[in-house]
Amino acid sequence: MIVASPQTSEEWWDPNKLAKFIEFLTATYQANPSRIYITGLSMGGSGVYDLISSDSMKFQIAAAVPIVGGGILNERSAKKAVGIPLWAFHAKEDLIIPADFDIAIVKAINQLNPKVRAKLTMYPTLNHEVWAETYDGTGMGLEDPAYDPFNMEIYSWMLQYSTSK
């Protein structure tokens, strides 16, 4: 497994640059192109949404896990993302990036009847910085039962998907 954590000094993620970075990784290292997974937190979670709804990808994403992400919801973004298994995480009390976008995009994707239903796990008592609890699994049991359960660690969830299936 190759784990890459790109950083940006710009005000926002450029999906074209992210796509080129992933293309570089798959061309340079022995990466399985049918098992490209993306995740990001805060602005990186928004970057996940931007990438999966962009036209810049010459590759396919096997699964995506945006954490406290946001974006602009439109019909095109939901249609572009519908073929990618998605599990979003957010906090109800997030004062930096409201949970509204995650709620709306998951609903919009699921209304398009994807093969894999998009999931949203919501933490009722935490605020913006929920990535540690999500990445290390300590958030299991802290989720709001009105949303999708946090019932397996995200790495196992991602690895069950590939674009060759």
Side-chain angles (χ1 to χ4, degrees):
M1 175 182 285
I2 298 168
V3 176
S5 298
Q7 304 294 303
T8 185
S9 59
E10 298 174 12
E11 289 184 29
W12 203 253
W13 287 102
D14 179 343
N16 294 318
K17 287 181 181 179
L18 285 173
K20 287 180 181 176
F21 179 66
I22 293 171
E23 289 168 15
F24 166 79
L25 291 173
T26 57
T28 305
Y29 301 99
Q30 293 182 346
N32 182 340
S34 70
R35 292 191 170 274
I36 298 173
Y37 308 101
I38 58 172
T39 183
L41 53 103
S42 194
M43 188 173 89
S46 300
V48 167
Y49 285 121
D50 288 349
L51 184 63
I52 65 175
S53 63
S54 78
D55 293 321
S56 59
M57 296 189 307
K58 295 179 182 163
F59 53 88
Q60 292 183 310
I61 300 294
V65 179
I67 301 171
V68 296
I72 298 170
L73 177 63
N74 57 43
E75 186 178 337
R76 182 184 173 281
S77 60
K79 283 183 177 178
K80 292 287 278 185
V82 75
I84 300 169
L86 179 100
W87 190 1
F89 288 80
H90 217 108
K92 267 188 185 174
E93 304 299 320
D94 192 333
L95 300 176
I96 296 172
I97 301 176
D100 299 350
F101 177 79
D102 273 323
I103 294 167
I105 190 75
V106 167
K107 181 180 179 183
I109 290 169
N110 287 337
Q111 286 175 338
L112 295 171
N113 296 315
K115 284 184 184 180
V116 177
R117 290 187 57 78
K119 296 172 48 162
L120 173 59
T121 296
M122 188 74 69
Y123 298 106
T125 59
L126 302 176
N127 59 33
H128 185 65
E129 298 176 353
V130 300
W131 40 86
E133 292 85 352
T134 303
Y135 286 131
D136 71 12
T138 58
M140 287 186 204
L142 301 179
E143 73 274 10
D144 184 330
Y147 293 87
D148 293 299
F150 188 5
N151 56 3
M152 71 186 304
E153 51 108 24
I154 63 169
Y155 311 103
S156 295
W157 180 83
M158 285 189 279
L159 289 169
Q160 69 185 333
Y161 300 106
S162 75
T163 56
S164 62
K165 288 183 178 179

